Amino acid sequence: MSIPETTTHSETSNGSSQRVDELMQSMRRDLDQGILPARAFFDQDLHELELERIFARCWSFVGLESEIPAPGDYMLRYIGEDQFIIARDEDGVIRVLFNKCLHRGAPVCRAEKGNTSHFRCQYHSWLYKNTGEWSGAPFRRRAYKNLDSKDWGLMAAPHVDSVHGLIFAALDADAPTLDEYLGEMRWYLDAIFGLSDQGMISIGEPQRWRVPVNWKSSAENAMADAYHVPSLHRSGEEVGVFPDIEAGGAGGSSFHIYFDQGHGMITNRGFLPPPWDKAGFPPEVSEGLEPSTLTPQQLEYTMNYSATTFLIFPNLEMIRVPATAHPGAAPTVFTYLRMVQPDGPNAIVNWNWTLGWKTASDEFNNEAYISGLAMHGPAGIFDQDDAVVWEGAPRAGKSAFARKNNMKFNYQLGLDGMSDYGVDPEWTLPGIATTSALGEAPQRAFYKRWLREISTP
Ligand code: FES
Ligand SMILES: [Fe+2]
């Protein structure tokens, strides 16, 4: 898919927008050679373009169906930097409603989570149903005699859909279907979450915490950065909470599977010795999984590989790895989902859900929850490592010295002729597979997708 040569970025006469156009031109020129400008990680105008052309256009993950199981349940979530109410109406339909009153823009809902049939705005008490419909206002008969209620309902995401209990929304009326958007990544979602017919549930509430980094650093890392694991996270093995740092990271058993749409994953073969069974789970858990909906090929994938991380473009991440909160003890495989909420060019709010199998014992799910928190989350040893180094990219992007000298970042690992790591010609399952997780081909695919989106008005 080609990247448009020109942008019609609306304010090209403005100096800062001209800078964004120049930035994009340099990316179009250099990305194939694995070069990205540092400025891409800190620029307010570029960030506005990302909000408009990526977050307001692509499908975004907003939460789990299991978080709002009953009619009337709702929760507050974000798409880009905008807050939405994810509400299950009285008929069970999930709505994604812009949390802004049509009278003066005040939020109509302030509680993070709850159950209600209506939302009442605090400011002048306009009232909306949980379907988003306008439902009334003080002194309505005398104050709004000719108001047509159907014109004044809450604005809503035009598309909402779910896959394996994960709710996604798209703000663009012309968005493709969720299935089309996921493409062949859907095949792997089935293999990862469809291991049990009964699916996965969120254990507890999601954790949230703010980190001073650019959202893309987290996305590209979760998608494919096995290279950093034995280096940055070495202490995880040293203190005995992560079993085999080489195998879990860049060792010979890991490789990439990725897609031109900017989705991708790190997959591992033979990560753990027996008695680990399907996808790295111990027999007492995997026996309850009964993946009857999987195709023979998906089963083959499940028996031989474990997806250890993935990214669904732009900002939904998964990690499924073994770890323990008790140094030296046997590890437990945990699965967590992360939504990276951008908040300006140099801040994110991480949303972290630990998932458990409905068919697994409480004991296993609780241990997975604790293991996940020990590694990832606000107090997780891995997340603290990552946050410290990711701060560097926006700081470099912001630096006057770096800007003056056009500082560039190197994404050349795995380029033809540069490295021994290339495409695996033997791979027969969906996607492009690499021979090693050490390359950076998926990251280049991520930035190509990103560039296509921000270049397209
Ligand atoms: S701003 Fe909501 S009722 Fe006035
Ligand atoms: Fe990391």
Side-chain angles (χ1 to χ4, degrees), residues 395-442:
R395 284 176 188 264
K398 191 178 181 184
S399 150
F401 173 70
R403 218 182 316 163
K404 192 168 173 208
N405 292 285
N406 290 326
M407 184 181 187
K408 294 173 171 57
F409 293 155
N410 184 304
Y411 285 78
Q412 298 183 321
L413 203 50
L415 274 182
D416 269 354
M418 178 67 75
S419 322
D420 289 339
Y421 325 118
V423 170
D424 179 358
E426 314 274 293
W427 187 251
T428 55
L429 300 178
I432 306 161
T434 62
T435 55
S436 160
L438 272 178
E440 291 173 338

Side-chain angles (χ1 to χ4, degrees), residues 116-142:
T116 188
S117 61
H118 290 74
F119 298 102
R120 181 190 295 276
C121 179
Q122 279 178 317
Y123 199 174
H124 311 87
S125 289
W126 274 28
L127 194 64
Y128 302 88
K129 289 184 193 165
N130 61 5
T131 55
E133 289 164 86
W134 194 87
S135 169
F139 318 114
R140 181 187 178 176
R141 292 229 174 96
R142 294 178 63 196

Side-chain angles (χ1 to χ4, degrees), residues 28 59 79 81 84 87 91 132 138 183 190 192 221 227 236 287 296 299 318 342 386 445 448:
R28 276 180 215 113
W59 281 87
I79 299 177
E81 294 180 355
F84 287 82
D91 296 324
D190 291 342
I192 292 166
N221 181 283
Y227 188 38
E287 275 159 15
L299 265 178
M318 185 220 63
D386 287 325
K448 281 181 190 169

